[in-house]
Amino acid sequence: MKFPFPKWNQVTPVKVYQIEQGRYGEEETLIYDGKCFYDEKSRQVLDAERRLVLLSGLIVIEGDINPGKVIEGYVVVDGERKNIYRAKRPRNPDGSVFSTELELS
């Protein structure tokens, strides 16, 4: 069973770039260019070293934008570059990926 995704809520254009270490340094790859749900609410979380990190927003995109790979890099939303702090992939009851959630710092 799959839950319906609220496509009417996706109104903000975004570009998501994957940064990987290549043979000649860092390589940037565009992995998503389309619309998303963007929440600009900022909040604070503690990282692994118990330091306070300020998150500047959340992006929710339908489905899995980079299947089987870890998402690390940055996004360009409203002409502003923001780093990806953490990525989550909540699942449907049937095991498929419902959405990709990117927390921004």
Side-chain angles (χ1 to χ4, degrees):
M1 179 175 122
K2 290 186 178 183
F3 293 122
F5 191 84
K7 293 182 182 186
W8 55 268
N9 208 7
Q10 294 182 309
V11 294
T12 307
V14 67
K15 292 183 180 181
V16 180
Y17 292 91
Q18 175 81 22
I19 295 180
E20 296 176 320
Q21 292 295 331
R23 180 178 229 173
Y24 303 108
E26 290 184 344
E27 297 177 1
E28 296 179 0
T29 308
L30 179 67
I31 58 173
Y32 182 78
D33 184 7
K35 302 241 178 179
C36 73
F37 167 72
Y38 177 51
D39 182 16
E40 291 184 271
K41 179 180 167 188
S42 62
R43 63 188 182 107
Q44 297 175 344
V45 295
L46 293 174
D47 65 359
E49 286 84 34
R50 309 281 300 165
R51 293 179 295 190
L52 201 58
V53 177
L54 178 67
L55 299 181
S56 63
L58 173 73
I59 287 181
V60 180
I61 302 170
E62 180 182 10
D64 193 355
I65 62 171
N66 203 7
K69 295 184 181 176
V70 175
I71 299 174
E72 295 176 337
Y74 66 93
V75 301
V76 176
V77 60
D78 293 335
E80 189 176 347
R81 178 183 165 149
K82 297 187 177 195
N83 293 323
I84 298 172
Y85 176 72
R86 180 172 31 210
K88 294 189 265 186
R89 294 180 176 117
R91 297 193 175 267
N92 287 312
D94 66 355
S96 63
V97 176
F98 177 71
S99 66
T100 302
E101 298 180 5
L102 305 174
E103 294 179 353
L104 308 175
S105 62

